Amino acid sequence: MTLWATVSCGGDGIHRGRVPFSFLESSPVSHLGAQARMERVEVAADELQAGDVVAFWMSHDDALSYLRRGVIQKVPYELFQYGHLALVVEAPGQSGELRLLQLAMGQAANVDAGLDYLEGKSWNVFRPPSGTVDQERLKEFVQRVVETASNPKKAYDYAGVLGLKNSPWRPESREEIGNRYSCATLVIAALHYAGYELDAVHRGGRLDVVTPKQVVMSFGEVREGG
């Protein structure tokens, strides 16, 4: 096992975000009944499972280094504890091959990156409770969302990221899988569709910057019929 495959690529440098932005990261007081948060697990990259949520982070020094070079996509890493989320999924049409479902500024929703993408990056893993994620439904979501959110100029939900209004994140059917997400609401939507509901969004998505930490620290519940 190579060094990069250990959790978080080491444990130094993670921070709690910058005030006042860190105040935005609290999850709602959950309305769910049988509540079960995701568990932070210490696993190597080759031990990841479909349904795992990967939360990426940087030290302030690393984030500021990118920002000084004009890489504005790294702003969340400076303001918040985690700067990006990805969901471990099975690659469409390739049984057993795990990839990362993710979306970032200027990108379409995609599963282009394999687990080797984690090399050299800092990350933590959050795992839904056993049996809460319907893998067939998760595959269906992935197959559909890479079609609906395939336009890199439109797939990123800028209104949601700015805290104005988040696009719908609770799809029940293929037709309800949207064409616009943030990295956080993409993970929420995928897990919701697969039967694991996260109570991670305030005020129905209005006036709420849904941060990665807000997602991984929220309560979850198994949805009947998911």
Side-chain angles (χ1 to χ4, degrees):
M1 179 58 59
T2 55
L3 178 63
W4 72 267
T6 58
V7 173
S8 300
C9 304
D12 298 328
I14 192 167
H15 58 77
R16 297 184 180 275
R18 295 285 192 187
V19 175
F21 301 98
S22 57
F23 295 152
L24 302 175
E25 299 211 89
S26 63
S27 299
V29 176
S30 183
H31 71 281
L32 300 178
Q35 299 175 354
R37 277 188 167 125
M38 288 186 285
E39 178 186 5
R40 179 177 164 180
V41 294
E42 295 189 2
V43 294
D46 63 357
E47 298 173 304
L48 290 170
Q49 302 173 5
D52 285 348
V53 179
V54 181
F56 295 89
W57 58 270
M58 287 184 183
S59 68
H60 283 307
D61 286 346
D62 286 345
L64 287 171
S65 176
Y66 278 103
L67 295 177
R68 291 189 187 102
R69 301 198 301 269
V71 186
I72 62 171
Q73 292 89 342
K74 304 304 183 184
V75 168
Y77 287 94
E78 169 65 8
L79 303 183
F80 303 113
Q81 182 166 339
Y82 295 108
H84 181 61
L85 289 183
L87 184 67
V88 180
V89 299
E90 191 170 296
Q94 301 183 52
S95 179
E97 181 180 345
L98 296 181
R99 291 181 171 266
L100 298 176
L101 174 66
Q102 56 185 338
L103 181 152
M105 189 182 302
Q107 293 183 356
N110 69 86
V111 287
D112 296 340
L115 299 186
D116 57 348
Y117 177 84
L118 301 174
E119 181 176 359
K121 297 178 174 63
S122 299
W123 43 275
N124 294 132
V125 179
F126 294 83
R127 178 167 291 170
S130 178
T132 57
V133 177
D134 183 324
Q135 294 297 331
E136 291 306 313
R137 291 271 293 181
L138 183 57
K139 292 176 188 177
E140 185 176 319
F141 180 90
V142 174
Q143 291 170 346
R144 180 63 176 166
V145 80
V146 296
E147 298 173 357
T148 60
S150 62
N151 187 331
K153 295 182 179 179
K154 297 181 179 180
Y156 196 67
D157 185 8
Y158 289 98
V161 169
L162 294 174
L164 302 176
K165 180 183 177 183
N166 286 275
S167 297
W169 67 94
R170 291 177 173 170
E172 303 290 346
S173 66
R174 284 177 57 88
E175 292 70 30
E176 293 178 356
I177 295 173
N179 58 9
R180 195 181 302 271
Y181 292 100
S182 68
C183 69
T185 56
L186 179 64
V187 168
I188 296 171
L191 291 177
H192 179 90
Y193 193 84
Y196 182 59
E197 179 180 0
L198 288 171
D199 198 0
V201 181
H202 296 274
R203 296 175 293 279
R206 296 177 182 273
L207 301 179
D208 185 21
V209 178
V210 184
T211 72
K213 181 182 178 181
Q214 188 173 320
V215 174
V216 298
M217 296 304 296
S218 62
F219 286 97
E221 181 181 51
V222 181
R223 295 172 51 246
E224 292 296 331

